[in-house]
Structures are given as C-alpha cells and as structure tokens.
Amino acid sequence: MLMLSSVLEETRRLRKLNEPNANPLSPTIPPEQSTTSPSGRDPNLTEGPESSSEPRQETMQLSRADPGPTGEESSEPDHTNIDGDPESLPNKMPEMKSEAERSSGPNPSFESSDSSKNPIHEGEEARYWEWLHFYLSHRASRTLPCQRPKPRDIRFIHSRPKLSPSSAGLPGDEGNDIALIRDHWIDRRLAGCRDEFCQRRSLRLRIGTFNVNGKPPTQSLVPWICASRGRSDSGNIQSRLPPVHDGRPALASSDIPSAVTSSNHKSIPSTVETFDDSSVKTSMAASFDVRSSTDTFTQSSPPSSIISANDEDLPDMFILGLQELDLSTEALLYSTSTLKADAWISAIFAALGKSANDYIKLVSKQLVGVLIVVIVRRDIQPIVKEVSTGTAAVGLMGIMGNKGAAAVRLRLNSTTATFVCAHLAAFDDYVDRRNSDFQEVARKLEFPITWKGTRNTRPLTANLWETDMLFWLVNLNYRIDLPDEEIRTLLMSEPRGIEYGTLLAYDQLRTAIRHKRAFVGFLEHDIKFPPTYRFAEESADQLRYDKKRKPAWTDRLLHMAADPIMVSQKSYESCPMVTLSDHHPVSADYDIYVCQHDPHKYLQIAQALYDKFDGFEYSTESPTVTILDGTDLDLGLISYMTPASGSIRVKNTGMVACAFRFVPLEAGSPICKEWLQVQPEEGLLLPGEKVSIHFTINIGKRTASSLNHGNTRLEDKMIFRLSKGSDYIISVSGSYLPTCFATSLAWLVRSVGPIRTHGNTALLPEGNTLSAPRELMFLIEWLITNAHDVADLFVASADESLVHAIREHMDTQPLDSGKGTDVSFPEDNDQRAIALAYGEALLQFLDSLAEPVIPWVLHPRCALAQDREDAFEILDHVPSFARNVYVTVTAFLHYIAHSGGPERAIALARAFADVLLRDNPRAPPGVPALTPLAKRNFVLYTIA
C-alpha cells in the first residue's frame, strides 16, 4: 500500500498536468525535498553565465545524482504494475494539450513543484483520486512501450492476453479481462502505425562464436572475422589455413590498428562505467597496450585474396563470443588478469587490417573463460544510448565460473538489443544439465539500466528477456543422440552434406526446443555446415574429427525478436580455415533495424486511442452486438489434409465499446475441438465497428484415423461471450469425407471397394481377406508401368494438388486391376510431374497408416539384423497383411533399384526407411531403438 504522502504528491502532479507547458513525463519533487529556488536554480550550485538552458541542465544533474539535502532517496511512489514494469504515468493518460501548447514542446527539465503557487483544496482533490484505483487494483494495465523504463518480456510480446479462467456459467474476472483485451488491442494498433512515430535505421551485424580451447590466437582470424573477404566452402571440412609454426599469437605490429597501439588514441576499454544520451563514456580501468606485453607477436599471412576487400563489405557491428579463454585452475579462484582477453581482442582488430581504424571496441565482458566483445564503427557510436553488462556462473556447485555466461545489453536509439555468450555443461549424457544451465543463466542474468523520462534515482535492473531482440552466441555443448560410428558414416555420405538433416533430427538442442525444455521461441538458420566439434591433429578420422569424441554441432547462434521483421539473418556458416582449436568458429550475418521514437507523436497517437475507451472498464451500460451471418456456420465437405474455412461477421450495435472472447463449455477444457481453429479468440469492437471471425477445420492423420470408421459429421459449439454482456452459442459444422489414408491395414485388406462408396457396411470375411490393400497395388502398378525410369522418383518434391487428385481417385473409384486407372488431372502437367505425384502419394499412404508396417515392438530386433536372412526372419513375426505390404513395396523398390546401381538403392532406402519403420511418437527423447542407419540397412537387405 502506498504511503499517504505519496498519494498526495501524485495528486499534485496530476493537478499540474492540466497547466500549460506541463511535462507529462516529469514527476514532481515533494516540497520538503526540493532544493531549487523559485527561479529554478539550485542555490548550492556554482553560479555561471546566465542562459535559459543552464537551470534546466543543472536541475537534471540534481535529479540524476543528488538525492537531496537529507541524503535520502526521493519519495516518488513506486509505480509498479502487475507485470512488474515501473510506471511513469498513471493508467488514465492526461488530455493532450492544444496545438498552440504542443508547438512549444514539453519542457525537458525536471521542474520542482511549489504548493504555494498551486494550492489544492481538500474538496478539489477528490476528482483527482480516480487514478489511485490504477495502483491499488489488480486490474491495472500495462504502460505503453515508450513510457516503460524497459521493454516487455520478449517471450510473451506476441502471445494472446492471459485472460481469467471462464466457461459456461463461470464469468471470470471481467474487469481485468476488459483491461487486458483493451491494452492488447492498443498495442496492435500502435504497432500497425509505427511508421508515424518511428524512424528506422538499418544496421549490419556480424556475430560469431569460437571455443578457443585455451589457445592463444596463433592464426589469422580473417576468415572468421571478415567472411565476406575470404568466404570458404563451409561444407568442405578439410579446407583450412596452415598453422603458424612458432605457435605465437598472430599479431604483427604492422597489422595492429592505431586505435590499439598509438599513443594518440585511447586504449581499448574493457569495462563500461556510465553512459549518457549523447555519447558512450567508458572506463579505462583495464586497458592493454600490445607493445608493452612481454610476448613477441607474429602474424601469419593469409592469402591475398582473403585480405583484399572493400570497406562496404564489413558490418556496422561485430559481436564476438569466445569460450575456454582461460583453462587454468587458478582462474576459477582469483585471476583478474585480462591479458588473454586483450590478446584475442587485438587479434580481432588485426584481422580487420586497414579498416580497423574505422572501428572501436565498445565494451567487453569476461567470466573466467567466457568473453564477449562488441566492436562498432565509429560513425554509429552516437546511436548507442546505454550499455550494460552482466554475468551468470553455473559451473561447479552452481556458482563457479568454468561454465556460465557473459552478456551485453545495448540501447541503439530506442531499440534494445541483448547479446549472450555462454558455455554450458559438457559430455553426451548431460543434456538435462545443459537444459538446467540455460534456465539458470536466463534467471541470473540482470543488467543495470537507467530510468527513461523520469528523475528517479533508485537502482533499476532488467532481466534477460526484457529486450527488443536477443542473440545467443554460444558453445552449448548439445550433442547428437546417435551412436558415434553412425554419425561418422552419415557425415561421409555422398554428396557431402546430404545427411545433415538426418543428423539434426537427433540434435539435442532441437529436441530440447521441440519438447519445450530450453530455448523455446528461439530461431536458428538452416545448418548447412558440418559439425564444429571435435577436431584433432592426432588420433583423428579422415575428416579430422577426434576418434574419442562424437562429432556435434556444439557451437550455435540463435536469436529472438519482439518483431520478426526487426532481424533478418543473411548467412550461417562455420570457418574450417581456422584450426588452432578443437572447435571450428561459427559466424552469421544479420540485418537489423533499430527505431528512433518520437515520444510526442507517439503520445499523441496513444492518447487518441485511449480516448476511445474513456471509462470503458467502469461503464454500467451493457454492450450489444449483432451477428450478421447467423450463429450456425456449415463449412460443407471436408477432405483429409485440406483445410476448409469460413467466417461470421459481428457488429457492435451499442453505444459503448465491447470486449469479446470465446470460452469453453466446461471449465478447464479448450474452447473448441482439436480439428477446429478460431481467429481471433478475443477482441474489442468500438461502436459501429465490425469484425470477421474466421473458423478453419483441418483434418490430419490423428483425427482422420478415428473419423474414417465412425461418425463423419463434424460439429462443435462454442460460447461467444461479451464482457459485461450476453453469451451467444456459435455452431460450426461440416461433413468429413472418409479416405483410405490414415486407415488401418487390417481394415483395408477386408474392404470390398472404395471407402467413400462402401464405407464400413460391407467387409470381406476374415478368412477371405486381400493379400494387400487395393490402394497400395494401384499405386505400385502405375509406377512400375509409367515411372520406373524417372531418376529422381521419391526424391524430388511433388505438386500437392496432383497428390490430392490421386487421393480423391483412390477414395471414390474402383481400383480392381484394369478398372479406374485413369486419374483426372488438371491440364498442362507433364509425365514427370505426374510420376512424382504418384511417388509422393505412395510415401504419404504408408506414412499415414494407423499402425506402422513393422510393429514398434520389433524395432530392437531390426537394429540387430546383419543380413537379408536376419531381416526375413524378423518379418516372420510381422502380421501377414503387414508383411505382404512390406514385401510388395520392397520388391518394387528392388525392381527400380536394379537399373540404377548401388547409389539408387541407397537413395530409395533413405526415402522409405522412415515410413516402413516409423518411429514411436511416444518414445522418450534420446538414442532411438532403431537409428536412421539401422533402418536403412534393414531396408537395403531386402532391396539391394
């Protein structure tokens, strides 16, 4: 509960907001703490030349640094809302000033209040107390982004508002729901008109990560730092620069930029102390002069083709992360030296060559062996408004710095960017520890920040997620959940790189994201380079990977943005030319845009939006709407894997704004069935406005399996609720068209005809079943006759519209031999496109079966098969109808592989292994019972 003095003080501030030239962003100072004279000048400050700007400047100094004559902090109320964001304005925004008043602009100084000039009588105060509800109620709204001292949590910025639990007969907390829906509506409207108050600037970033394994920089870093100069083929594992023979750091005096060595330049700052809005002020506490080092530096000369480049190729910012910079035991306990970090920073500048003079080191932060460095062009330094750093140790006993993260947070104009360099737990089996390390790093990282638009001097911190864009440049140590030998075999497959997708399906990081255990919401560019760990000069395989460690993509770059269009990734590659460590460095190029907000235009637009909802939460008038298209929506015939959509229009016919949402029929249940999607699920309508609510039915494999042999009528009822108003029942229906896809083999071999015409009414006796489904034989017979010589059959992608036409034919036409073999295709399709569609239809048919062709219980035995005889022995334990399917398919594959040689057989086995030996979706994460290579070998035993 706020102190009464704080309440009275805020009331006085609101009184002053109605006066001309009042600054809505400037809180007042309690009279008892004000040290300024009536003229606005501080009598304790030194007198200087008179000017209109001096009092403003001096007052700002007092507000930022001087707590007042008593030495206590300002008694300004702690404006903290339910989201944890300190507030600088109450919920009900002040009225906008007239055009004449706005033309002069707000006073940027922090003026003191004088109660003698503006007496507020007890009776007059009552009408200013409405704002108090904002602070004392749980229905408080979030402040607008430009008024927050820090951005909202980036993880939830695009999520729907978290409304109170509600269902039929349970109204929920309607007041809070109205405020949340309103704020969400305003946020989206503000985002839609961002160009009216925001100027965008594009920046180019190069971000890199490198585990240096405790080594000094004994090679040129040009291929990593300046990839556009010497871009190599990332897929070529064996391409590299020759190492420096004398093993000394790769720095020649001629290559060290004058920014580092010249006495006319400041040394590179290692820590950041304070920042203001005009420039970045840095501490020189830990500087490094290369010439004073006891080491003798040498530089290996990279090829001239790598050195030559235009300055335009270089980015605006480098953000580089190093891990295992210092592996000594002493460093965990007492080391404070930055010598190794400075050597690597100097090597980075040396790699820039003549362009190094165009850059400065903005900031660096080190946690034992983890180092993050930010280097920027000199011409963009003025847009850096704030810089702060943080560390989080999660190593031994959860506190040591051998594992953890160092991070930097920047404010570029009005946009906040955060960069994290981390090193997580090692070893294959420590995946849970890595997930835990990520959570701990995210929890521990905090950054000191400054208040925006207020004179508050209390300490304020931002957590990792309170940013506009977030980058992780890390050695995560996530491994591949496959046997060592299998990983190496797949990496050797030709053409090189074809199996990266197979290996990445078992990558522990992607598994953690898929199961929402770590890095949820982060994006990573497609990986088209080989694993970056672990390389060795001795005891290595022919790809130079250490025989004692499984290859893995341990070094990764990930990002997340509040607005997806803020970040565009242009490249993602490893650098096999730098071979001084057992890791290869990784880098990526990004285009980002940063915003410079015009707060006055922003507040004007925001005020206009808020004015539309003046007293909205407290209105006693019931909202009314008209559903223009009726409450029953029939989407007609619904086909398998073919979405069907429709919409209804709702109009606000009342005199007040209305908030709406869909609620479930029963508490705790979803608002609709799994095959139905509703958009939007909640919203807001101003008087006279209309909204179209879209409904989409999409039947996938899981739903189709239950519908193919049951009731084909789809129907769902939802409650459309008006906050503080009525409920409406919305009914959405459709008629499902059964399909032979997503059906069990046991049923297909007993069917007497197409599923659409015969349905479940007539089945063959169990003793007189078909040897294999008609649908399967139809596809294989067509392919043998018409497509056996198509080289990229089952490999190239197919036209889904042609696949749909084939599926419709199989569901509606008789498929007995010699009948119904002509499918009606759209015109202008060549024979190859039709052949690829038939091949894709076969793969989809097998993949959609209700149960796998080879039962999951037999997968461990399949992994042990060594030859064709073992494979057929296992097939003896497969149900007869499934065994016939497997034999029929593999006999066809054997026929077309015979003319293509071993490479064709391998490609066919790769395409069919996952559909004939489908993984169990309920299996726990980890090494599967039947690995990809074991699946292919089993198929190859029967087709080669």
Side-chain angles (χ1 to χ4, degrees):
M1 183 66 66
L2 299 175
M3 298 294 294
L4 181 58
S5 60
S6 298
V7 173
L8 295 174
E9 171 55 12
E10 187 65 6
T11 302
R12 296 187 187 101
R13 188 178 77 83
L14 289 175
R15 173 72 173 178
K16 283 182 66 62
L17 287 175
N18 292 326
E19 296 181 3
N21 299 323
N23 181 6
L25 294 178
S26 302
T28 57
I29 306 175
E32 63 272 13
Q33 293 188 12
S34 175
T35 61
T36 58
S37 64
S39 65
R41 296 182 56 83
D42 187 347
N44 298 322
L45 296 177
T46 304
E47 292 291 337
E50 291 291 331
S51 71
S52 60
S53 62
E54 282 186 5
R56 181 177 303 173
Q57 208 168 13
E58 291 162 353
T59 306
M60 183 174 294
Q61 288 177 344
L62 175 64
S63 68
R64 293 195 175 194
D66 190 352
T70 62
E72 299 176 357
E73 292 186 358
S74 169
S75 62
E76 180 186 4
D78 185 4
H79 297 169
T80 303
N81 68 358
I82 56 175
D83 290 330
D85 290 334
E87 309 290 354
S88 58
L89 284 179
N91 184 37
K92 186 172 177 59
M93 299 177 59
E95 296 181 1
M96 299 300 292
K97 297 185 284 293
S98 67
E99 189 63 30
E101 293 169 332
R102 286 197 302 268
S103 62
S104 62
N107 188 349
S109 65
F110 296 120
E111 299 178 355
S112 62
S113 61
D114 189 342
S115 59
S116 63
K117 291 183 180 180
N118 303 294
I120 301 178
H121 300 291
E122 185 175 349
E124 293 179 312
E125 282 188 356
R127 64 191 183 95
Y128 292 100
W129 279 56
E130 183 181 0
W131 72 271
L132 185 60
H133 177 73
F134 169 79
Y135 295 98
L136 303 183
S137 171
H138 290 294
R139 297 174 182 175
S141 301
R142 297 183 298 272
T143 50
L144 299 171
C146 281
Q147 299 165 346
R148 302 183 188 116
K150 50 189 177 181
R152 286 171 52 194
D153 192 313
I154 193 173
R155 294 170 296 178
F156 309 121
I157 201 164
H158 294 297
S159 61
R160 295 172 42 241
K162 191 174 182 180
L163 304 180
S164 63
S166 183
S167 61
L170 179 65
D173 187 349
E174 291 191 328
N176 186 59
D177 292 343
I178 290 173
L180 291 173
I181 293 173
R182 178 201 63 190
D183 291 345
H184 185 65
W185 183 90
I186 290 176
D187 282 348
R188 287 188 289 112
R189 291 294 177 97
L190 286 171
C193 59
R194 183 183 289 111
D195 291 340
E196 298 181 29
F197 59 83
C198 171
Q199 291 184 345
R200 300 181 183 182
R201 173 171 180 168
S202 177
L203 296 176
R204 292 185 300 165
L205 273 58
R206 181 158 185 83
I207 299 180
T209 180
F210 188 13
N211 185 314
V212 302
N213 194 28
K215 304 293 179 60
T218 56
Q219 277 187 288
S220 170
L221 301 181
V222 170
W224 178 46
I225 303 300
C226 309
S228 57
R229 302 184 181 195
R231 190 178 299 278
S232 62
D233 180 10
S234 294
N236 185 357
I237 301 176
Q238 297 174 330
S239 63
R240 61 192 180 99
L241 282 176
V244 177
H245 295 293
D246 54 8
R248 289 175 288 184
L251 295 173
S253 59
S254 60
D255 291 315
I256 300 171
S258 59
V260 181
T261 61
S262 173
S263 59
N264 296 326
H265 293 77
K266 295 180 180 180
S267 300
I268 303 173
S270 294
T271 59
V272 174
E273 197 168 73
T274 58
F275 295 86
D276 60 27
D277 289 342
S278 60
S279 65
V280 180
K281 301 176 182 178
T282 54
S283 166
M284 306 301 164
S287 61
F288 176 66
D289 189 340
V290 176
R291 297 170 300 173
S292 65
S293 172
T294 57
D295 290 327
T296 301
F297 297 100
T298 61
Q299 167 73 30
S300 62
S301 299
S304 58
S305 61
I306 295 179
I307 296 177
S308 60
N310 297 322
D311 287 347
E312 304 87 59
D313 296 332
L314 296 177
D316 298 299
M317 299 176 63
F318 290 94
I319 302 94
L320 305 171
L322 304 177
Q323 304 87 33
E324 295 190 356
L325 194 72
D326 192 342
L327 296 179
S328 64
T329 305
E330 296 82 1
L332 297 176
L333 303 176
Y334 56 81
S335 176
T336 59
S337 171
T338 62
L339 184 62
K340 292 185 177 181
D342 294 332
W344 274 97
I345 293 171
S346 298
I348 292 169
F349 272 91
L352 293 173
K354 295 180 180 179
S355 300
N357 288 320
D358 298 331
Y359 290 88
I360 63 167
K361 190 191 85 167
L362 181 68
V363 64
S364 66
K365 188 67 175 178
Q366 183 175 355
L367 172 69
V368 187
V370 178
L371 172 70
I372 185 169
V373 184
V374 179
I375 298 171
V376 302
R377 281 189 183 271
R378 294 180 182 276
D379 57 356
I380 73 162
Q381 185 180 5
I383 75 170
V384 182
K385 305 299 184 183
E386 286 182 10
V387 179
S388 55
T389 61
T391 59
V394 294
L396 298 173
M397 298 179 290
I399 57 173
M400 301 298 287
N402 61 313
K403 294 292 186 289
V408 173
R409 186 179 192 270
L410 311 175
R411 184 158 66 88
L412 306 170
N413 283 337
S414 302
T415 300
T416 304
T418 304
F419 306 90
V420 181
C421 176
H423 190 195
L424 305 188
F427 302 109
D428 291 14
D429 297 333
Y430 280 29
V431 60
D432 290 337
R433 175 63 183 274
R434 285 187 278 277
N435 295 338
S436 175
D437 283 353
F438 164 76
Q439 303 292 348
E440 278 296 289
V441 167
R443 182 183 66 83
K444 289 183 176 181
L445 276 178
E446 288 187 338
F447 307 91
I449 62 175
T450 60
W451 290 78
K452 293 188 296 182
T454 75
R455 63 177 303 162
N456 200 311
T457 59
R458 296 195 312 276
L460 181 66
T461 60
N463 65 38
L464 175 67
W465 307 108
E466 291 168 328
T467 184
D468 295 313
M469 56 184 74
L470 175 60
F471 297 86
W472 281 65
L473 39 153
V474 286
N475 173 20
L476 294 177
N477 266 321
Y478 283 105
R479 310 303 170 91
I480 300 172
D481 281 328
L482 289 176
D484 187 307
E485 182 180 356
E486 182 156 340
I487 295 173
R488 298 177 195 273
T489 301
L490 292 173
L491 287 174
M492 290 292 295
S493 299
E494 295 293 344
R496 191 65 54 81
I498 193 173
E499 297 292 0
Y500 291 167
T502 302
L503 292 170
L504 286 166
Y506 298 90
D507 174 67
Q508 291 178 348
L509 172 59
R510 297 197 173 185
T511 300
I513 295 174
R514 188 165 54 248
H515 291 274
K516 301 186 183 301
R517 296 178 179 176
F519 290 96
V520 178
F522 281 87
L523 301 177
E524 183 181 29
H525 202 273
D526 291 340
I527 293 180
K528 297 181 180 179
F529 53 85
T532 56
Y533 172 85
R534 173 182 181 183
F535 294 94
E537 293 297 333
E538 300 178 358
S539 183
D541 62 15
Q542 62 189 72
L543 296 179
R544 293 189 52 244
Y545 288 111
D546 190 341
K547 292 181 179 179
K548 298 177 182 179
R549 294 286 190 274
K550 292 195 301 186
W553 284 280
T554 58
D555 309 278
R556 311 288 274 270
L557 300 173
L558 304 99
H559 73 273
M560 177 189 294
D563 187 342
I565 65 174
M566 295 177 71
V567 179
S568 174
Q569 187 166 351
K570 300 301 182 182
S571 67
Y572 192 26
E573 58 190 359
S574 67
C575 182
M577 301 177 73
V578 179
T579 59
L580 60 90
S581 172
D582 56 357
H583 290 249
H584 281 168
V586 173
S587 61
D589 295 303
Y590 298 86
D591 285 346
I592 69 170
Y593 78 76
V594 298
C595 294
Q596 179 60 57
H597 289 137
D598 183 333
H600 310 304
K601 290 183 179 179
Y602 179 88
L603 288 174
Q604 186 176 6
I605 296 171
Q607 177 66 46
L609 292 174
Y610 267 97
D611 283 346
K612 298 177 184 293
F613 304 103
D614 189 21
F616 175 39
E617 300 102 308
Y618 315 113
S619 173
T620 58
E621 185 173 346
S622 297
T624 58
V625 300
T626 300
I627 301 179
L628 302 177
D629 304 298
T631 57
D632 295 326
L633 178 64
D634 192 332
L635 298 183
L637 300 177
I638 312 297
S639 298
Y640 171 71
M641 298 294 286
T642 305
S645 299
S647 62
I648 61 173
R649 294 170 301 158
V650 180
K651 180 178 181 180
N652 183 351
T653 54
M655 301 301 294
V656 295
C658 68
F660 66 85
R661 63 181 293 196
F662 282 91
V663 299
L665 292 172
E666 298 180 1
S669 61
I671 64 170
C672 59
K673 296 181 179 178
E674 62 178 352
W675 43 262
L676 180 62
Q677 295 178 341
V678 183
Q679 186 66 29
E681 294 185 16
E682 68 283 315
L684 188 146
L685 284 173
L686 297 175
E689 278 190 343
K690 300 177 186 177
V691 65
S692 292
I693 301 175
H694 301 277
F695 301 87
T696 302
I697 296 179
N698 190 11
I699 304 299
K701 290 188 293 186
R702 178 177 174 180
T703 306
S705 295
S706 60
L707 292 174
N708 281 331
H709 309 302
N711 184 10
T712 59
R713 182 63 179 171
L714 300 169
E715 188 171 7
D716 196 11
K717 295 184 183 296
M718 292 162 289
I719 298 178
F720 178 79
R721 171 167 293 170
L722 299 182
S723 297
K724 298 186 177 180
S726 303
D727 288 354
Y728 299 82
I729 303 296
I730 306 293
S731 175
V732 180
S733 60
S735 297
Y736 173 68
L737 298 174
T739 179
C740 58
F741 285 63
T743 305
S744 68
L745 285 174
W747 186 91
L748 288 172
V749 296
R750 295 184 59 194
S751 66
V752 296
I755 191 170
R756 297 270 180 86
T757 57
H758 291 77
N760 299 312
T761 57
L763 294 176
L764 296 173
E766 292 189 5
N768 192 28
T769 59
L770 302 173
S771 59
R774 293 183 182 87
E775 294 80 3
L776 176 72
M777 300 308 299
F778 164 75
L779 294 171
I780 289 179
E781 287 176 5
W782 192 97
L783 289 168
I784 290 176
T785 305
N786 302 283
H788 63 277
D789 56 347
V790 177
D792 54 354
L793 184 66
F794 304 118
V795 177
S797 58
D799 187 337
E800 280 298 323
S801 65
L802 301 181
V803 177
H804 176 75
I806 295 171
R807 185 167 57 240
E808 285 296 302
H809 181 88
M810 294 165 63
D811 292 335
T812 57
Q813 301 299 321
L815 302 176
D816 294 325
S817 181
K819 299 180 181 179
T821 57
D822 295 330
V823 180
S824 298
F825 291 112
E827 297 181 359
D828 302 329
N829 287 289
D830 57 26
Q831 188 66 15
R832 176 179 173 275
I834 294 175
L836 294 178
Y838 269 94
E840 180 64 22
L842 176 59
L843 289 171
Q844 290 186 13
F845 174 77
L846 294 171
D847 189 50
S848 71
L849 293 173
E851 67 279 333
V853 177
I854 305 296
W856 293 315
V857 69
L858 294 177
H859 282 197
R861 293 189 58 184
C862 294
L864 301 176
Q866 298 294 319
D867 51 31
R868 180 183 178 89
E869 183 177 345
D870 289 345
F872 277 97
E873 182 178 346
I874 293 171
L875 289 174
D876 288 339
H877 299 276
V878 176
S880 59
F881 51 82
R883 180 171 61 250
N884 291 339
V885 168
Y886 184 91
V887 171
T888 300
V889 172
T890 54
F892 160 65
L893 298 178
H894 173 77
Y895 172 75
I896 61 176
H898 182 69
S899 59
E903 291 184 1
R904 183 73 184 277
I906 292 173
L908 293 172
R910 184 185 298 118
F912 278 84
D914 287 334
V915 297
L916 293 174
L917 296 129
R918 198 164 69 226
D919 288 332
N920 186 351
R922 298 179 182 86
V927 178
L930 192 57
T931 63
L933 200 57
K935 291 180 185 178
R936 297 176 193 179
N937 288 338
F938 188 88
V939 175
L940 280 172
Y941 293 147
T942 55
I943 71 172

